[in-house]
Amino acid sequence: MLMLCLTWAFNQIAVKLVLPDIPPMLQAMFRSMGALPVLFIIGSLRGVKFFERDGTWKPGLVAGLMFGIEFVLIFQGLRLTSASRAVVFLYTAPFFVALGSYQVLGERLGSTQWLGLAISFAGVALAIGVPQANVDSHVLLGDLMIVAGAGLWAATTLVAKGTSLRFAAPEKALGYQVATSIPILGLAAYLFGETISHTPSPQSIGLMAFQAIWVVGTTFTLWFALVKTYSASKLSAFTFITPLFGVVGSYFIMHDHLSLAFGAAAVLVIAGLFLVNRPSQTAAAPRDALLNVTKT
């Protein structure tokens, strides 16, 4: 999880660095197209039967639709807001996962976890609501699109955990999503009128390969493998360190301006997610046993 968090923190920066050469929807589509063969290679080496009828295609399609729309929102949001703001708002996803796990999966939260959710919510409200010199209506729209994308990421995690999709191999579960996202992102690129006006730089091509092969093809597969085994809310909350890495990386690499208000908001979000991740004394709900949820 530490390795995944480091990767995902830099991923938002990578997307921003590539935007001058490749527009957001085309970038997201190329990323999915490059990741799909990686999933097939990894899955084939592990003996995964991608086309076996196992009753997972319906939840797989639902997860794929949410996955595609999620990245329409995230990549368009990154066009409008900064990488540092995006990484904080995107990793409000554990907030939504914790709420969804309580409602959908029956995973109970203790008072400490509820306090953490409240603190994280306060941090998001502070980041969006407090006027800042470098934040205009376009930036706020980008922020809200990232938060919506975080909500869809959480919903996808819950579908993977709470349906028959949890019995599928991680490569197959992610394959549904990556394959379904390609036409969605392609249609979005067409509707937004995106084109590539010049040959992308070697840096952009390298960062696209990083996104396709490593981020989507490899780390997303590892994520779904972990989601199948461990508590969705606890595992997702572990990503509280990603915004920290992302904000620091954006400051040094992208030279993002960080105001005191936004710094305080980021601290609240991270602190809240840390509290959510603390062990609860509340007993697990009976449905956890049905889902074979193992907690670290």
Side-chain angles (χ1 to χ4, degrees):
M1 277 304 303
L2 178 62
M3 180 268 292
L4 297 186
C5 292
L6 284 168
T7 295
W8 295 341
F10 181 71
N11 184 51
Q12 314 309 315
I13 300 172
V15 173
K16 291 287 287 188
L17 290 172
V18 177
L19 282 177
D21 287 337
I22 305 176
M25 294 298 92
L26 286 176
Q27 189 178 154
M29 183 185 72
F30 292 152
R31 189 176 77 162
S32 289
M33 291 174 64
L36 199 57
V38 175
L39 292 174
F40 275 111
I41 292 172
I42 295 175
S44 298
L45 292 175
R46 295 204 323 115
V48 175
K49 298 179 180 179
F50 285 98
F51 302 104
E52 181 184 34
R53 294 186 177 182
D54 55 6
T56 60
W57 74 269
K58 287 184 179 179
L61 180 60
V62 171
L65 289 172
M66 291 192 294
F67 185 87
I69 298 171
E70 169 195 338
F71 283 103
V72 170
L73 291 168
I74 291 173
F75 275 69
Q76 283 295 326
L78 277 166
R79 187 174 59 85
L80 300 173
T81 192
S82 65
S84 57
R85 295 178 69 86
V87 76
V88 170
F89 288 123
L90 181 58
Y91 286 89
T92 57
F95 175 90
F96 298 112
V97 171
L99 288 175
S101 295
Y102 178 75
Q103 295 291 332
V104 179
L105 304 182
E107 294 182 5
R108 296 180 180 174
L109 299 178
S111 57
T112 301
Q113 281 73 40
W114 285 112
L115 175 62
L117 291 177
I119 293 174
S120 290
F121 182 80
V124 173
L126 176 64
I128 293 178
V130 174
Q132 300 176 49
N134 62 323
V135 176
D136 57 17
S137 59
H138 289 88
V139 173
L140 287 177
L141 176 60
D143 294 343
L144 292 174
M145 293 177 76
I146 298 293
V147 172
L152 284 173
W153 179 15
T156 304
T157 299
L158 294 172
V159 169
K161 185 70 175 180
T163 68
S164 59
L165 201 60
R166 69 185 183 273
F167 299 120
E171 296 89 348
K172 185 171 183 177
L174 182 58
Y176 280 122
Q177 297 166 65
V178 172
T180 306
S181 72
I182 294 173
I184 294 174
L185 295 167
L187 177 61
Y190 172 78
L191 293 176
F192 283 110
E194 292 186 354
T195 58
I196 299 177
S197 59
H198 58 275
T199 303
S201 67
Q203 174 182 280
S204 294
I205 294 173
L207 288 174
M208 282 301 306
F210 162 77
Q211 292 184 58
I213 298 171
W214 178 246
V215 177
V216 179
T218 305
T219 68
F220 283 10
T221 303
L222 292 174
W223 166 253
F224 279 100
L226 291 171
V227 166
K228 282 164 60 67
T229 304
Y230 298 103
S231 164
S233 58
K234 302 294 184 182
L235 189 66
S236 186
F238 191 86
T239 61
F240 71 90
I241 58 177
T242 306
L244 179 61
F245 291 142
V247 169
V248 173
S250 298
Y251 178 78
F252 285 106
I253 297 174
M254 302 297 297
H255 307 293
D256 285 354
H257 172 73
L258 302 178
S259 67
L260 289 176
F262 182 73
V267 169
L268 286 175
V269 171
I270 295 167
L273 295 180
F274 174 76
L275 290 176
V276 173
N277 194 49
R278 290 189 63 183
S280 173
Q281 299 303 316
T282 305
R287 182 163 167 78
D288 278 353
L290 296 176
L291 294 175
N292 192 28
V293 176
T294 305
K295 298 186 179 181
T296 53

